Amino acid sequence: MTESIYTITHDVPSIETYRHLRQSAGLSPKTLEAAARGLPNSLFAVQVLCAGETVAMGRVIGDGGTFYQVVDIAVLPAHQGQGLGKTVMREISAYIEREVLPSAYISLLADGEAYRLYQQFGFALTAPASVGMALKKPAA
């Protein structure tokens, strides 16, 4: 990441920014109501800005004690390949190191080859001991 071009904030993105970045980065869309309800419950958030525009983000959600999940790792396509995913994960890893108590379980779901990025930050594949599962409620 070129420090002179990008700046990092630990602010939760606006609803509009969040929805735009998710869709632009190829993640599933979230409704306005879902984003409005969920974003204020973030335990930690990081944004990477370029000329005042959010170009990458990530969040940590959970109960604040026993379970945490890393979510919403997204980088705008025009800024991919600049190390911004690693920058987001470095910030999240620092939060985990600083705030998460021993015995907590920290999880994430990796799409495609993204697991390679997360392995660099200590995350390990859980299969076959455990297998991730999901129940996705379709958008109306």
Side-chain angles (χ1 to χ4, degrees):
M1 182 177 100
T2 307
E3 294 298 328
S4 61
I5 297 174
Y6 299 105
T7 57
I8 298 168
T9 69
H10 292 162
D11 301 314
V12 175
S14 70
I15 294 166
E16 297 80 20
T17 297
Y18 172 78
R19 294 180 71 221
H20 167 72
L21 195 55
R22 277 191 62 87
Q23 285 193 278
S24 297
L27 301 178
S28 61
K30 298 299 177 194
T31 66
L32 184 66
E33 183 180 2
R37 199 182 288 186
L39 287 172
N41 296 313
S42 303
L43 296 175
F44 177 77
V46 57
Q47 296 182 66
V48 179
L49 289 79
C50 180
E53 176 192 10
T54 300
V55 298
M57 69 174 180
R59 295 190 309 136
V60 178
I61 60 173
D63 65 14
T66 58
F67 291 95
Y68 297 78
Q69 188 171 29
V70 176
V71 297
D72 297 327
I73 306 299
V75 179
L76 287 178
H79 293 269
Q80 291 175 3
Q82 304 296 313
L84 300 184
K86 283 184 183 179
T87 298
V88 167
M89 283 305 299
R90 264 195 300 277
E91 296 297 314
I92 288 173
S93 290
Y95 166 80
I96 290 168
E97 182 66 28
R98 186 174 67 242
E99 300 294 334
V100 175
L101 300 171
S103 83
Y105 189 82
I106 305 143
S107 63
L108 60 78
L109 293 173
D111 294 335
E113 296 294 309
Y115 74 92
R116 295 179 191 278
L117 167 65
Y118 306 128
Q119 284 177 325
Q120 296 174 41
F121 294 90
F123 288 87
L125 298 172
T126 59
S130 61
V131 178
M133 298 178 71
L135 173 63
K136 184 177 177 186
K137 188 171 180 179

